[in-house]
Amino acid sequence: MGTLAVVVLLGILALVIVGCVCVVWAERGGPRPVRVVAAVTLAAGQLVRGAQKNHRRNGSSSSGDDGGDSSN
């Protein structure tokens, strides 16, 4: 099961790296498929940032209620 987790994490890392390369290439006027991948990558980044902001807002308002849930 540990090997599967490593494979999944490596796949995610590869997608992130490809997305970043596409963003840089698209800024320099890359072909249309590269611009599409770059747009998807930037949109995913916006979604992640929005989710983090909502999590912080919700976490700070109820930090006394479930403070023990986030500790590992």
Side-chain angles (χ1 to χ4, degrees):
M1 200 122 128
T3 305
L4 180 61
V6 170
V7 170
V8 169
L9 289 175
L10 285 174
I12 292 170
L13 180 62
L15 288 173
V16 168
I17 291 171
V18 168
C20 291
V21 168
C22 285
V23 168
V24 171
W25 192 4
E27 284 291 319
R28 297 179 179 198
R32 183 181 172 129
V34 170
R35 292 193 305 262
V36 169
V37 172
V40 169
T41 301
L42 292 173
Q46 290 289 335
L47 287 174
V48 169
R49 273 183 252 138
Q52 286 176 345
K53 287 180 183 178
N54 288 338
H55 179 70
R56 285 186 198 139
R57 284 187 204 140
N58 294 339
S60 64
S61 65
S62 63
S63 61
D65 296 336
D66 60 351
D69 291 344
S70 62
S71 63
N72 290 329

